[in-house]
Amino acid sequence: MPFPQFDRSRLKLKPLSERVHDLTVDSFYRLDDPIPPFDHPALDVIAERIIQARRNGAPVLMLMGAHVIRAGVSRFLIDLMERGILTHIAMNGAGPIHDFELALIGATTESVARYIREGQFGLWEETGLLNEAIKRGYEQGLGMGEAIGKFIFEGDFPHKDISILAAGYRLKVPVTVHVGIGYDIIHEHPNCDGAALGATSYTDFLILAHTVSQLEGGVVLNFGTQVMGPEVFLKALAMARNVAHQEGRRIDRFTTAVFDLVDLGEISGEPPKHDPRYYFRPLKTLLVRTVAGGGESFYVRGDHRLTVPNLYRRILERL
């Protein structure tokens, strides 16, 4: 006998016009805005590696948490995609939600503390349209990122110029979405289709694995994703190396760079298990284990609102 399930038909959704937003496009950088200073010795090296990778035809993959979008730096990432510098962006499931809402109404981000008390957190009518885009993409055999990007690019979205996913669709640059079931607010909605969600995100995982299979000589940037980024990269790299070894190839020489706020102190290999840093996945996965065969890694501690535009500036100086 099956276990009882929650009846989603009883949920009450409200329009986004009734939600108080903590972030609007007015706070987003424009490309010609003055860039606040931020210096780190690794930035110049990372920028040089990125340029070198692209000149050699190797990919530059960016793994990112949703807070990167909330930092207001989307225009820098879109410009790097347009210039052929960023060749793949991988997001967690919250990324497309902020990207979609910003493209639609020019605002995003609700107070969890406020809306969870009244049982309204995440239950907004227009945001649920993402589920329709995902189902449509599922029927067309698309990955989640391409399906949402297509939906935004072809739809009536007044601020689509700031959408990373729409830019990916327009430029034919993969923007993949890697979700965990139940992690994101659109999973609350009555129109969420678990089969479509899983299938489209798994397609995106295979797209990511293909990019990683070409990573020799390339660069992996990990901005603010402490679980999704390191974990999906680790599995994709295992798959890519498995096939490469059968073909007599290696995927060892590449550069990884982690950008985060955690104070890691001096990094000298993998920390022991009694050290709390051992459980910080970007450290052991991206800075140590995956580059052990001949790659090199860097850690830059700083706010994304500072690190992204300053890395962008250094890249443009070298073009």
Side-chain angles (χ1 to χ4, degrees):
M1 186 168 181
F3 293 110
Q5 297 183 24
F6 186 87
D7 182 3
R8 297 182 297 176
S9 67
R10 299 175 61 193
L11 291 169
K12 179 181 179 181
L13 276 62
K14 293 184 178 180
L16 282 172
S17 59
E18 295 185 19
R19 189 175 81 180
V20 178
H21 301 94
D22 295 340
L23 179 68
T24 69
V25 293
D26 295 334
S27 66
F28 275 52
Y29 282 121
R30 298 187 180 278
L31 294 180
D32 56 357
D33 285 344
I35 295 176
F38 177 85
D39 198 23
H40 190 285
L43 284 181
D44 287 316
V45 181
I46 296 167
E48 193 64 45
R49 297 288 175 83
I50 289 171
I51 295 299
Q52 184 180 2
R54 293 308 301 131
R55 285 175 177 163
N56 293 334
V60 175
L61 165 65
M62 180 178 181
L63 312 166
M64 57 175 275
H67 189 70
V68 177
I69 295 175
R70 293 168 56 183
V73 297
S74 295
R75 290 189 176 97
F76 296 118
L77 304 183
I78 292 170
D79 190 63
L80 291 176
M81 293 164 71
E82 290 175 339
R83 294 174 184 270
I85 301 299
L86 273 181
T87 63
H88 188 144
I89 293 180
M91 297 182 176
N92 63 10
I97 294 171
H98 292 308
D99 189 88
F100 172 88
E101 290 182 347
L102 285 162
L104 182 64
I105 63 170
T108 189
T109 309
E110 60 188 303
S111 169
V112 179
R114 170 178 178 164
Y115 287 112
I116 194 61
R117 289 196 300 268
E118 56 193 76
Q120 200 60 50
F121 170 61
L123 294 167
W124 310 101
E125 292 174 355
E126 295 90 336
T127 309
L129 291 172
L130 278 167
N131 287 321
E132 302 303 322
I134 292 168
K135 282 192 282 188
R136 194 177 303 175
Y138 175 49
E139 294 165 355
Q140 298 171 352
L142 304 179
M144 187 181 295
E146 185 177 6
I148 296 173
K150 183 176 189 288
F151 188 74
I152 297 172
F153 181 75
E154 295 180 347
D156 184 16
F157 288 76
H159 307 280
K160 68 177 67 177
D161 63 297
I162 207 170
S163 167
I164 295 171
L165 286 126
Y169 179 77
R170 169 173 58 88
L171 298 167
K172 296 181 173 56
V173 172
V175 179
T176 53
V177 183
H178 307 274
V179 305
I181 302 297
Y183 278 32
D184 305 307
I185 61 173
I186 60 171
H187 305 169
E188 304 172 38
H189 287 235
N191 68 338
C192 181
D193 184 327
L197 200 71
T200 54
S201 189
Y202 191 70
T203 294
D204 274 357
F205 174 64
L206 297 180
I207 294 170
L208 175 68
H210 174 74
T211 294
V212 174
S213 73
Q214 303 171 320
L215 190 57
E216 183 75 2
V219 176
V220 181
L221 307 171
N222 189 94
F223 275 87
T225 168
Q226 298 182 6
V227 178
M228 179 282 294
E231 291 302 317
V232 299
F233 175 67
L234 183 66
K235 280 73 172 185
L237 182 61
M239 295 163 66
R241 281 178 169 167
N242 181 288
V243 173
H245 284 184
Q246 296 178 57
E247 297 173 344
R249 296 186 297 112
R250 302 193 67 84
I251 307 173
D252 291 331
R253 295 185 310 102
F254 55 85
T255 301
T256 63
V258 174
F259 296 77
D260 216 303
L261 294 172
V262 179
D263 185 1
L264 296 179
E266 184 178 350
I267 301 171
S268 56
E270 183 173 317
K273 289 187 178 181
H274 62 77
D275 187 331
R277 297 179 304 162
Y278 174 84
Y279 300 96
F280 182 66
R281 288 174 175 85
L283 170 54
K284 64 182 179 182
T285 299
L286 284 154
L287 299 180
V288 180
R289 291 178 176 176
T290 57
V291 294
E296 190 173 7
S297 63
F298 301 90
Y299 182 65
V300 179
R301 184 186 178 204
D303 191 294
H304 304 316
R305 197 164 172 81
L306 298 175
T307 57
V308 170
N310 278 278
L311 178 61
Y312 169 85
R313 178 171 61 83
R314 283 166 169 80
I315 291 171
L316 260 58
E317 289 172 352
R318 288 162 172 78
L319 287 177

